[in-house]
Amino acid sequence: MTALILCFIAGLAVGSLFGARTLLILALAVFVVEVGASVVLLGASSGLIWLLASQVALQLGYLGGMCLRSILERAGIVIIAPQSRQSR
């Protein structure tokens, strides 16, 4: 249960601060940790359930973080400057 809460909080932080690429890296890290934990501590079937639950918690946290960032931007509390891309 603690792992799910930590995945949700990590997704919430990533969603409110970073973009989708960071989420993909975090999702890969959660996948590797859960596969390792399932091999060492749990069986394969139980580990698969925890792996899916952790990924869902991470994604829901990410969506919650995006909504939080949107609410803060609309309220004027947070102002995010647009990033310019330099052509090479």
Side-chain angles (χ1 to χ4, degrees):
M1 188 66 180
T2 305
L4 296 179
I5 294 170
L6 289 176
C7 285
F8 182 78
I9 291 172
L12 191 65
V14 168
S16 61
L17 297 175
F18 301 107
R21 280 188 251 164
T22 307
L23 172 68
L24 292 175
I25 294 169
L26 186 61
L28 180 65
V30 167
F31 178 78
V32 169
V33 167
E34 290 295 327
V35 167
S38 68
V39 167
V40 173
L41 301 175
L42 308 168
S45 61
S46 179
L48 180 62
I49 293 170
W50 280 106
L51 172 66
L52 292 175
S54 297
Q55 290 293 333
V56 168
L58 181 68
Q59 296 294 326
L60 289 176
Y62 183 76
L63 289 174
M66 286 176 34
C67 290
L68 177 66
R69 178 175 49 186
S70 175
I71 290 169
L72 292 176
E73 285 177 359
R74 288 181 188 206
I77 297 172
V78 175
I79 299 173
I80 297 178
Q83 297 177 356
S84 63
R85 294 188 175 196
Q86 297 176 353
S87 61
R88 293 181 184 187

